[in-house]
Amino acid sequence: MTTIGFIRHGQTAWNKEGRVQGSSNVPLNEEGIESAEKLANRLADQQWDMIFTSPMNRAKHTAELIASRMPDVSVEEDSRVRERSSGLIEGTTEQERVQKWGPGWRGLDMQFESADSVVARGLAFVEEQIRINPGKRILVVSHGSFIKRMIAVLLEDEQYAVTIENTSLTVIEVENKTCTLLNCTAHLTGGANGD
C-alpha cells in the first residue's frame, strides 16, 4: 500500500496578508519556520521513506526542515507538485482585486492555470510513485490549492475538499482511497504527535 502524506508549506508574509501566491516565490516568515520545525519534530519518530517538494522556496524550506530530523531521507524537487499559477491576481488581496477589476473579477480571464491541468500533473506524479515506489511512505510538501484538489480527486469525494492549513498533514492510503488523517495541525496546538 503506497501512502502519501501531503504537507502544506509553512506560513509566509503573503499568507498573513491574504495575498495570492500562486507561482510567486515567497519565502517562509518567522512563524512559518517555527511551525515547520514543530511539524519536523512531530514527524521525526515516524517512518517515511522519501520527501518530494514543490520547487517553490516556501515548500523547499519546509521540506528541508522536515528532512533535517530524518537523517536517512532526502528531499527531491518535482515541479508537478507546485502550486497552481494564479495569473494576473498573484500578489494581490481580495480588496485590491475588487479595486482593480471590480466585484465581478472572478468572471474575467485572469490567466489561471486550469484546474484540469493541476489535477493532471498531480495524478501523473501519484501514478508514477505507485509504479516506481510501491508500498512506500512518501511525504509531499506542496501548496494549499494543489493539496485540496488532490485529496478530493484521490478519494473521489468532494467532501474532502477542505481549506488546507499551513504545515497541516493529510495522510492518504492511495490504492484503497482511504484518508487516515485530514488537515491535521496537532503539532501547533500541543496535541498528539502521532497520526
Side-chain angles (χ1 to χ4, degrees):
M1 182 65 58
T2 306
T3 301
I4 296 183
F6 287 103
I7 293 169
R8 184 181 178 195
H9 61 80
Q11 188 188 78
T12 70
W14 281 17
N15 285 143
K16 202 162 188 166
E17 296 166 9
R19 295 187 183 279
V20 174
Q21 294 178 112
S23 56
S24 299
N25 215 0
V26 184
L28 296 179
N29 64 14
E30 191 173 312
E31 184 178 337
I33 293 169
E34 183 180 314
S35 298
E37 287 171 344
K38 288 179 179 177
L39 177 59
N41 290 336
R42 172 185 182 175
L43 296 173
D45 296 330
Q46 298 180 17
Q47 176 57 48
W48 292 96
D49 299 302
M50 54 197 65
I51 302 173
F52 287 91
T53 183
S54 156
M56 308 311 296
N57 286 342
R58 57 195 184 270
K60 280 196 311 188
H61 193 178
T62 302
E64 288 161 359
L65 289 168
I66 293 166
S68 72
R69 298 297 311 272
M70 299 178 179
D72 298 327
V73 179
S74 60
V75 176
E76 185 175 332
E77 285 183 35
D78 194 308
S79 64
R80 293 173 294 182
V81 302
R82 71 188 182 279
E83 183 59 292
R84 176 187 194 188
S85 170
S86 296
L88 300 176
I89 73 165
E90 288 192 11
T92 66
T93 64
E94 176 66 19
Q95 182 179 0
E96 289 167 348
R97 292 188 287 279
V98 170
Q99 285 173 348
K100 186 168 185 175
W101 295 293
W105 68 266
R106 285 180 179 81
L108 302 175
D109 177 9
M110 292 295 170
Q111 301 173 18
F112 288 5
E113 177 184 7
S114 74
D116 288 346
S117 170
V118 175
V119 168
R121 62 179 163 81
L123 284 176
F125 169 82
V126 170
E127 288 161 4
E128 180 179 283
Q129 297 316 310
I130 292 170
R131 189 176 70 253
I132 65 176
N133 293 306
K136 299 289 188 183
R137 289 176 52 83
I138 303 165
L139 289 174
V140 176
V141 183
S142 186
H143 307 268
S145 176
F146 175 85
I147 294 170
K148 178 178 180 175
R149 284 184 170 78
M150 291 310 300
I151 294 168
V153 167
L154 291 173
L155 298 176
E156 297 177 353
D157 191 338
E158 284 297 320
Q159 77 167 333
Y160 289 101
V162 299
T163 298
I164 303 298
E165 303 297 328
N166 289 107
T167 71
S168 68
L169 174 63
T170 297
V171 179
I172 296 177
E173 294 174 358
V174 181
E175 288 93 339
N176 68 6
K177 301 179 185 348
T178 301
C179 181
T180 60
L181 199 65
L182 179 63
N183 196 34
C184 181
T185 56
H187 50 282
L188 301 181
T189 58
N193 285 339
D195 63 4

